Structure formats: C-alpha cells, structure tokens
C-alpha cells in the first residue's frame, strides 16, 4: 500500500495546499489513526474544513473510526484511519500456461485466490472469460459484491501499451495483438481496468511488500522469457512505448551462433531462459524439456545442470552489469520460475555483476531472490489498481459523484 512519498510528506507537513478531500486522504493512507485536530495541525487547514473532508470520506467508507485519543479534559476526541476493507480489487496474473486470480483489499491483503492451468495461446476471449467467471466466483467466496469492486488489475506475459491496456505484438500470445482487454473486461465489470506487462507488476508487488524503503529496484523475471521491471526514484519506468526492461533480447557475446525466436543471434533469452538451459542440457546428453526439469535436476544435485544454471546466471550478469552502471539500482531481485528457485543462477549473476560493474555502483548493491515469490504479480496487480483509484483526483471525483 503506497503512503505519501518523502517529498509529499514534507510538503503536507509544512502546511501545503490540501483543498480537497482526496488530498487529505493521502495523509491517512499510511494507516495511522489521527484526530481532526492533529490533521488540522499537520495541514494548516481550519478544523471546520478538516471536519467536512473527514465527513465526506467517512460516508464513502474509505475512512472509519479508530477509537478515541487520550483526553486532556472533557470528551475524548475521535480518531480516524484509512479503512482498507472499504473496497476490494480483482488482481490477475496471466502467465504462459497459468492464471492466478485473487480478490484483495485496498492494502493488497489476499481475501480469496484461485490458481488455474490455462494456456495463453488459446486467445484473449477464452482466457479473459475464464478470468471473469472465476473472479466473480471469488468475490462471492470473499463475501463481497461487484458494487464493492474498486477495479481490476491484469498482468500479461508480453509487451503492453499501458495507456490503452492493449498487448503489442506479444511473441507467445497469438491472437492478443491489439486486443482491447479493458473493453472486454468492462462489459462484465464496469470498473477501472488496468493492464500491464507481468514483470512490471511483479516489480510493483515485490517492492510494495518487501522493499518499501528502496526507490531504485530492478525485478528480473527469468522463466520462459527474461524481462526486467524497473523502479527508479520510486516510480515504475515503462518507457515511451511500454517496452522498457526487455532484457531478453539484449545481445550476449557468448551467443554469436545461437539463434533466438525473434530472428536475431545471441539474445539473452536464447541462452539463459528456462527453455534455453533445458535445450542446452538436452544437446549435451541430459534430457530436459523445460525450466521445471532444469530445477528438478539441480535439486537432485546433478552437476551438469548446476553448471548450466550457473552459466545462465553469468550470461544474465553480463547484461545486468551494464544495467547497473546505467541505472544504479540499490536492489536487484531475481524472480520468475527459474529465478525464484535459482541459488546457482544468483551466484552466477553476482559473480559477473560485482566484477564487471563500476565499484561505486555496487558499493551498496544487494542482489537476492524474490521474497514475494509467485505472489509478486498478484500483489503488484492490486497495487497498480490502488495507486490509481486512491489517487487524489480519483478520490475527489468519486466523492463528488456520490455526494
């Protein structure tokens, strides 16, 4: 759950302008209970103004009573706090061969969840209709109705134009190119629908849940493909067309003769992804179909598989060493099916990054495995929605529409 940034807090605490209830609400999003007097003191607003803003937020349900403060004489003043249970979010992680659907509160707490085997190649109508069917069922299981739904967040395993929610030439998603995901979902659920690339929402989820104090974080997904979610100065960076972080098709020197599915030679994905490592093992006499087989062989202590995974980490490290010099992150998190279970992969990454990157860039750099694991995308999808629906402008518009 996002609380005001350091800059916002400094402005607010210095008595910055808070003319709307939506602005005042941002102070309460940290969950700390406050009295009207405390809010008036913090914001510099008149108590009558604060009282009217709080009353509007109370009616919406977004703010609720939180007990009473100690009294210095007379009736104890009432305290108020953000109520994350006021609305719920439908969070969806669509993978190449799976779908995870969850209902969360406005703090990202999972209230109900379903994991399904689903091939994204069956097309958007089949996949999204199944998501909607299961999502409505989950709302019922959580004891919530569609009227309480604040919005839906969806992560897809391919490039997405975030402004429209449309996939753009996704390589493993036949039939999805240019499909209007938002419109299709809103036919059944008339709420805000936000769509993004899966690794972007994984970065959001990982940071929100486990690295809230780090404003410069890279989340690296290593699975069927390889991609990065880039958080810089506290903001997710999508680039001009939503393709920021596409590490999978950066050239690796060792791969001059390795053909990638994109048509180029030497792409990182063709050397270090789950299918690529499995293919390399098979070519050397150790049959492996996919990344799952690679992890199984590693868990069994197979030295050849361990060495292959370590080399994949070195190849990834070759690319990341340049990224570290360019973006200077404080944290690199490895996730995805291969990344989150890949101690040997991480060892290879560390070996190269710490050797090849500038000393100043790595002085405080931490490289580790995902703590959110397979929940990162769900947490991020929920966070993507709450960042939008709880923003000052949207809160204000909502209160005016219901006032």
């Amino acid at each position: 759950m996002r609380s005001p940034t350091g800059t916002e807090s400094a402005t607010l605490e210095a008595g910055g302008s808070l003319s709307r209830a939506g602005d005042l609400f941002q102070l309460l999003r940290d969950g700390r209970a406050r009295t009207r007097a405390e809010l008036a003191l913090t914001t510099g607003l008149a108590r009558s103004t604060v009282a009217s803003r709080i009353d509007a937020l109370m009616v919406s349900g977004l703010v609720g009573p939180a007990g009473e403060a100690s009294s210095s004489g007379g009736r104890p003043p009432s305290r108020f706090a953000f109520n994350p249970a006021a609305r719920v979010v439908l969070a969806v992680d669509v993978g190449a061969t799976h779908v995870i659907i969850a209902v969360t509160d406005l703090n990202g707490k999972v209230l109900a969840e379903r994991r399904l085997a689903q091939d994204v190649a069956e097309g958007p109508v089949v996949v999204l209709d199944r998501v909607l069917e299961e999502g409505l069922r989950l709302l019922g299981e959580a004891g919530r109705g569609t009227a309480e739904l604040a919005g839906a967040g969806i992560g897809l395993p391919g490039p997405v134009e975030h402004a429209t929610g449309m996939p753009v030439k996704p390589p493993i998603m036949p039939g999805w190119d240019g499909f209007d995901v938002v419109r299709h979902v809103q036919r059944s659920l008339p709420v805000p629908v936000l769509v993004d690339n899966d690794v972007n929402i994984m970065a959001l989820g990982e940071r929100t849940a486990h690295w809230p104090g780090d404003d410069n974080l890279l989340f690296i997904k290593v699975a069927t493909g390889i991609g990065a979610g880039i958080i810089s100065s506290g903001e997710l960076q999508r680039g001009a067309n939503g393709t920021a972080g596409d590490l999978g098709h950066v050239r690796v020197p060792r791969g001059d003769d390795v053909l990638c599915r994109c048509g180029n030679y030497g792409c990182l994905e063709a050397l270090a992804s789950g299918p690529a490592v499995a293919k390399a093992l098979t070519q050397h006499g150790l049959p492996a179909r996919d990344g799952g087989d690679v992890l199984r062989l590693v868990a069994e202590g197979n030295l050849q598989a361990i060495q292959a995974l370590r080399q994949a980490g070195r190849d990834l490290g070759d690319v990341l060493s340049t990224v570290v010099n360019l973006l200077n992150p404080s944290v690199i998190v490895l996730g995805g099916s291969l990344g989150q279970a890949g101690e040997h992969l991480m060892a290879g990454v560390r070996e190269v990054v710490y050797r090849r990157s500038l000393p100043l860039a790595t002085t405080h750099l931490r490289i580790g495995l995902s703590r959110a694991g397979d929940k990162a995308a769900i947490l991020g999808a929920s966070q993507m929605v709450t960042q939008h629906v709880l923003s000052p402008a949207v809160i204000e518009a909502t209160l005016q529409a219901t006032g």
Side-chain angles (χ1 to χ4, degrees):
M1 183 70 256
R2 178 189 177 278
S3 57
T5 65
T7 302
E8 289 170 335
S9 295
T11 300
L12 295 172
E13 288 169 10
S17 176
L18 284 164
S19 60
R20 305 178 303 176
D23 297 313
L24 184 65
F25 174 68
Q26 303 310 306
L27 275 177
L28 294 166
R29 284 182 60 184
D30 62 4
R32 185 162 69 87
R34 296 171 174 88
T35 65
R36 291 184 178 91
E38 288 171 337
L39 288 168
L41 182 63
T42 300
T43 63
L45 296 173
R47 290 197 185 190
S48 59
T49 302
V50 169
S52 66
R53 304 292 185 266
I54 290 295
D55 288 345
L57 291 167
M58 291 275 286
V59 170
S60 75
L62 291 170
V63 169
E68 296 178 336
S70 57
S71 174
S72 57
R75 182 179 177 182
S78 298
R79 304 169 74 190
F80 307 91
F82 171 50
N83 175 23
R87 304 283 189 279
V88 291
V89 174
L90 185 65
V92 182
D93 170 27
V94 177
T97 58
H98 76 269
V99 171
I100 304 176
I101 309 162
V103 173
T104 77
D105 69 9
L106 294 177
N107 262 341
K109 179 182 177 182
V110 175
L111 307 177
E113 182 179 333
R114 184 94 75 245
R115 295 163 182 256
L116 309 169
Q118 175 64 61
D119 192 340
V120 74
E122 289 191 44
V125 173
V126 171
V127 174
L128 293 175
D129 282 353
R130 192 173 187 198
V131 164
L132 288 166
E133 179 185 352
E134 294 294 336
L136 289 170
R137 186 174 291 121
L138 281 177
L139 278 171
E141 289 181 12
R144 311 302 287 259
T146 54
E148 299 172 273
L149 188 63
I154 302 173
L156 298 177
V160 173
E161 185 181 59
H162 182 65
T164 63
M166 292 184 182
V168 181
K169 297 180 173 57
I172 63 169
M173 300 170 64
W176 287 80
D177 183 30
F179 186 82
D180 197 337
V181 175
V182 173
R183 173 186 258 181
H184 188 86
V185 173
Q186 286 182 332
R187 287 174 182 168
S188 299
L189 297 174
V191 296
V193 177
L194 288 85
V195 187
D196 206 341
N197 172 265
D198 58 355
V199 72
N200 282 344
I201 65 172
M202 287 177 175
L204 277 179
E206 185 77 31
R207 178 181 179 244
T208 300
H210 299 287
W211 305 90
D214 287 273
D215 287 344
N216 298 280
L217 176 146
L218 295 179
F219 185 95
I220 312 299
K221 178 188 177 185
V222 187
T224 303
I226 298 175
I230 304 169
I231 294 177
S232 181
S233 298
E235 299 293 332
L236 183 62
Q237 305 299 316
R238 297 184 173 92
N241 300 307
T243 65
D246 192 359
L247 296 184
H249 300 287
V250 175
R251 181 176 172 274
V252 178
R254 188 177 73 86
D256 282 346
D257 59 345
V258 180
L259 180 64
C260 180
R261 61 182 175 179
C262 74
N264 290 322
Y265 285 87
C267 292
L268 176 64
E269 183 178 300
L271 290 160
S273 66
V277 177
K279 181 179 179 181
L281 288 173
T282 300
Q283 290 173 341
H284 287 85
L286 185 61
R289 294 169 299 174
D290 52 27
D293 282 349
V294 174
L295 293 177
R296 175 181 55 78
L297 289 166
V298 168
E300 292 171 356
N302 185 282
L303 184 59
Q304 190 175 346
I306 290 172
Q307 290 175 331
L309 196 58
R310 178 72 69 95
Q311 182 56 52
R314 295 189 188 101
D315 292 332
L316 179 56
D318 265 330
V319 173
L320 289 179
S321 61
T322 300
V323 175
V324 166
N325 287 336
L326 184 67
L327 298 180
N328 190 206
S330 59
V331 179
I332 296 177
V333 178
L334 302 180
S337 58
L338 208 62
Q340 69 188 46
E343 292 281 356
H344 298 288
L345 183 83
M346 182 173 65
V349 170
R350 286 175 166 169
E351 176 186 332
V352 176
V353 167
Y354 287 121
R355 185 179 75 241
R356 294 284 301 277
S357 299
L358 293 172
L360 184 59
T362 57
T363 299
H364 301 293
L365 176 65
R366 290 157 290 173
I367 302 174
L369 301 180
S370 171
R371 297 176 184 176
D374 61 2
K375 289 188 179 294
I378 286 297
L379 295 173
S382 176
Q383 172 72 1
M384 178 171 62
V385 172
T386 56
Q387 282 184 350
H388 171 70
V389 300
L390 298 184
S391 65
V394 174
I395 289 291
E396 191 67 25
T398 302
L399 294 179
Q400 289 179 358
T402 57

